Amino acid sequence: MEELEGFSVYPVSETETYQRDADGQRVARLPGVVLEKAFRLKDGALLVVTTDDCPFEEGFHISLLRSDGSPLETACRAIPYCPGIIRNLFAISDDAVKMVLHDGEAIVIAVRPEGTRSPLKFIQQRFISNNGIFGRHYLEISAP
């Protein structure tokens, strides 16, 4: 997994942004307004982490996009009364990143291209997926 240095997003509201391609065309609509980091997987898919930039309930969003920018899944987690929750975020393998939160909690987000139906992994880590509880999940979230 490669970290994308030139990746950027453009806010369209207080809660959403757009990713634009090199020609300035809108590619994908993403939740969150502050880009934390973006990564490209070997198959061209993108893993994008954004935050809400709200000092009272900072939430973060992990979005998996196909190479054409269409969304596969977004997982989100909000922590009430906790600004600046992501302290460190980095790739640990070709298909996984590790996020360290303000309190030292570590979370591993792995991409599963085939998808799984495992709602417990989200519930145990206090995440909500836009694919619902029983939908196919391409993001596997766990504590290391």
Side-chain angles (χ1 to χ4, degrees):
M1 190 175 302
E2 166 196 10
E3 184 176 336
L4 298 176
E5 295 295 328
F7 189 88
S8 59
V9 295
Y10 303 89
V12 293
S13 74
E14 292 182 0
T15 60
E16 291 184 315
T17 58
Y18 271 105
Q19 172 206 353
R20 294 184 188 248
D21 64 14
D23 298 325
Q25 300 296 316
R26 290 180 176 178
V27 177
R29 191 174 191 139
L30 300 168
V33 294
V34 176
L35 174 67
E36 296 295 331
K37 286 194 180 178
F39 301 89
R40 183 176 310 278
L41 283 76
K42 285 188 175 186
D43 66 358
L46 297 172
L47 186 69
V48 182
V49 179
T50 55
T51 55
D52 289 332
D53 193 29
C54 174
F56 303 110
E57 291 189 347
E58 181 72 276
F60 57 87
H61 310 273
I62 303 151
S63 300
L64 179 62
L65 308 171
R66 293 180 182 94
S67 58
D68 65 0
S70 59
L72 273 172
E73 182 174 22
T74 295
C76 68
R77 177 173 164 189
I79 300 176
Y81 308 110
C82 185
I85 58 175
I86 299 174
R87 188 169 48 182
N88 202 353
L89 177 62
F90 53 94
I92 57 172
S93 71
D94 286 343
D95 64 353
V97 296
K98 184 175 183 179
M99 182 184 316
V100 180
L101 303 182
H102 70 287
D103 60 358
E105 178 185 1
I107 298 170
V108 173
I109 300 109
V111 176
R112 301 294 175 234
E114 68 283 353
T116 63
R117 296 188 190 274
S118 177
L120 275 181
K121 294 203 181 228
F122 278 88
I123 295 167
Q124 290 168 343
Q125 299 301 321
R126 301 181 307 260
F127 276 85
I128 298 171
S129 170
N130 69 329
N131 290 352
I133 294 174
F134 299 108
R136 185 167 296 280
H137 297 286
Y138 301 92
L139 297 172
E140 184 177 285
I141 300 170
S142 60

